[in-house]
Amino acid sequence: MAYPISLVSNSSKSGKTTIALNIAILLASSNKKILLFNLKTKTPFSKLLTNVLPSNNKNIIKPLVLFQYNKNLSLMFLDNEINLKKHDWEKIISKQFSILEKKYDYIIFNVDHVGNTLVTACLNISREVFAVFNSNTFTSNDLQKILTNIRKIQISNNNIKLTTIILNNYNQHLHLESLMSVSKLTNSTYSLITLPLQNEFWEINEQSVKFIKYNKWNNYTISLSKVVEQLLKK
């Protein structure tokens, strides 16, 4: 059965889509069957799909479109021409997941701003949430908004929790005090991954900040392997 996770952000240009793709590729390279569901059009992956035709799988519910990139990695998108407001996303996403969950080991939802009906439908069936931020513009309010929405979703999906915070374009002058204050708002223990200038890893809970620095790692894809290692244990 597939293990569903969502990558969310409440700001543009956070690098979330690239991070989602890298996590999917790393999992697929571990011989896992991966479905990456991108709520935007296929534009971010246009080069990847240059010679790939949409699947004719009759189990794919319109307006969703599936591309089989290789034996371990599939990519799903929304049809470019759809009107988001005209669809019952809770019903579509739930039914599509129930059809595909036996085929994949992991389903990764790369969603947009938390709060709209399509994003909520994806979060309602997710087990974990990764919050992605651009560290140059990050504030504690950004994380608070996501935590607030997750709490609302936990009313119907008590399995969902925030597990990982990813700060992209890491700024070495970024302060952790704001994150420590926000950590008191949740009972979850979550990890903070910083990318890509310095590869450092924090494990944050209400009592302490555990800091480990990996000097030998200087590539953000390698840093994401920490996320993948944890997912492979699920």
Side-chain angles (χ1 to χ4, degrees), residues 14-199:
S14 64
K16 175 175 56 62
T17 297
T18 301
I19 290 169
L21 179 59
N22 276 318
I23 290 174
I25 290 173
L26 286 168
L27 286 169
S29 67
S30 298
N31 202 30
K32 299 296 182 180
K33 302 291 186 183
I34 310 301
L35 173 61
L36 174 57
F37 180 19
N38 193 59
L39 264 63
K40 299 178 182 178
T41 67
K42 68 177 186 296
T43 305
F45 305 115
S46 56
K47 292 183 180 179
L48 191 65
L49 297 172
T50 300
N51 298 313
V52 182
L53 296 175
S55 169
N56 58 3
N57 188 331
K58 295 181 180 179
N59 290 321
I60 304 304
I61 303 171
K62 293 182 180 181
L64 304 178
V65 183
L66 181 72
F67 291 81
Q68 184 75 40
Y69 179 65
N70 59 32
K71 68 174 185 177
N72 286 338
L73 178 60
S74 299
L75 305 170
M76 180 171 279
F77 306 95
L78 300 178
D79 189 302
N80 290 332
E81 305 300 324
I82 67 165
N83 184 328
L84 290 177
K85 296 181 180 180
K86 290 185 177 181
H87 293 276
D88 183 347
W89 290 112
E90 189 70 38
K91 182 177 180 180
I92 292 173
I93 298 299
S94 177
K95 184 176 180 180
Q96 188 66 85
F97 178 77
S98 66
I99 292 172
L100 296 176
E101 62 178 339
K102 294 181 180 179
K103 182 177 179 180
Y104 297 97
D105 297 303
Y106 298 88
I107 294 180
I108 302 172
F109 296 103
N110 177 35
V111 302
D112 289 324
H113 303 310
V114 174
N116 70 50
T117 56
L118 177 53
V119 172
T120 300
C122 294
L123 292 176
N124 270 335
I125 58 175
S126 295
R127 297 287 300 277
E128 293 190 33
V129 176
F130 297 170
V132 182
F133 304 99
N134 184 329
S135 63
N136 294 321
T137 58
F138 173 78
T139 68
S140 60
N141 286 336
D142 295 329
L143 183 53
Q144 284 179 316
K145 290 176 182 177
I146 287 178
L147 289 171
T148 298
N149 278 282
I150 290 175
R151 287 195 189 91
K152 292 178 181 178
I153 292 169
Q154 284 175 330
I155 296 173
S156 57
N157 175 12
N158 57 15
N159 290 319
I160 190 173
K161 62 180 180 179
L162 174 69
T163 60
T164 304
I165 300 169
I166 300 175
L167 289 178
N168 206 15
N169 299 318
Y170 178 65
N171 185 330
Q172 63 182 343
H173 301 297
L174 183 70
H175 298 297
L176 286 178
E177 286 82 358
S178 60
L179 284 182
M180 284 301 296
S181 65
V182 173
S183 70
K184 295 178 182 179
L185 300 175
T186 176
N187 294 324
S188 300
T189 298
Y190 49 91
S191 300
L192 171 61
I193 306 295
T194 59
L195 308 171
L197 300 180
Q198 296 180 10
N199 296 294

